[in-house]
Amino acid sequence: MLLKILYLIYQICIGFPVLVLMTIITALEVGIGTTIGNGHFWSYYPGRWWGKIILKAFLLPIKVEGREHLEKNQSYVFVSNHQGIFDIFIIYGHLGRNFKWMMKYQLRKIPFLGYACEKSHQIFVDKRGPKKIKKTYDTAREILQEGYSVTVFPEGARSFTGHMGKFKKGAFALADELQLPVVPLTINGSFDVLPRTKGFINLVNWHPLTLTIHQAIYPIGQGPENIDATMRQAYDSVMSALVPEYQGFVENPDQ
């Protein structure tokens, strides 16, 4: 109980101030760097440092497994379960690949964060009509063809329970079209750190984190059968590494 109280005091005095300060600094670094210099560098590395520093600021230990499954200079479509907000820091800080996020277009409105995402050419997923959907996937296609990877949360929203919801096909259709391998990622601990039901304005809980990088799933053909097979295999891979407490499908009400 004493340790929990001390951790609450620590995060109020240290954790959250560092989060706010580093978000502002990172947004400015990305904005200035991508304007005047090497966009390949400035669109990724400040975000990577941001993710690492935030986890350290909240004293959250993280274990990464499976980096040996990734090949150098290979573009991937990364698909991950989405337990909570801290998933962003985990993947950005510790995946170790230069990638672009596919994210909800509403995130563009978040102060500083939205500005940095726009300047670094992250992919805003906009489903408000066929033209906007087409533009989203045209952008993602161009980025993958340039040699980047993309990271997607195919559930579409954070879990309310820590369990996985359904996967949507968009990321798998994109991988199928370009004949790129899909790499499943499993995150454990993020829901325990900050459950969605509490919201980000509340204090977090100390809990260890794990990022598991699974073996790549290479296309075995092209078309609907390959999309469905890849999606099923990716779902099973992500599920296989979840802790027993969060095993099994649970419907996510905002999917």
Side-chain angles (χ1 to χ4, degrees), residues 22-52:
M22 284 305 304
T23 299
I24 294 172
I25 291 173
T26 300
L28 293 174
E29 284 180 336
V30 171
I32 295 170
T34 54
T35 300
I36 66 174
N38 183 347
H40 185 79
F41 177 90
W42 292 104
S43 65
Y44 170 65
Y45 283 97
R48 183 182 183 186
W49 300 329
W50 174 69
K52 287 178 176 288

Side-chain angles (χ1 to χ4, degrees), residues 128-193:
R128 296 174 298 173
K131 288 185 178 180
K132 292 186 181 293
I133 293 174
K134 182 179 183 302
K135 183 179 179 181
T136 294
Y137 284 96
D138 286 346
T139 302
R141 187 182 301 110
E142 290 173 6
I143 285 171
L144 284 164
Q145 289 173 337
E146 289 174 3
Y148 286 95
S149 296
V150 298
T151 299
V152 187
F153 295 117
E155 294 167 90
R158 286 173 286 144
S159 172
F160 279 101
T161 63
H163 295 261
M164 284 171 58
K166 297 177 182 177
F167 276 5
K168 299 179 181 179
K169 290 188 177 182
F172 303 97
L174 185 63
D176 174 76
E177 178 185 343
L178 299 178
Q179 290 290 281
L180 290 174
V182 171
V183 174
L185 307 174
T186 303
I187 291 173
N188 280 298
S190 180
F191 183 79
D192 300 281
V193 168

Side-chain angles (χ1 to χ4, degrees), residues 64 190 196:
V64 181
S190 180
R196 183 176 180 182

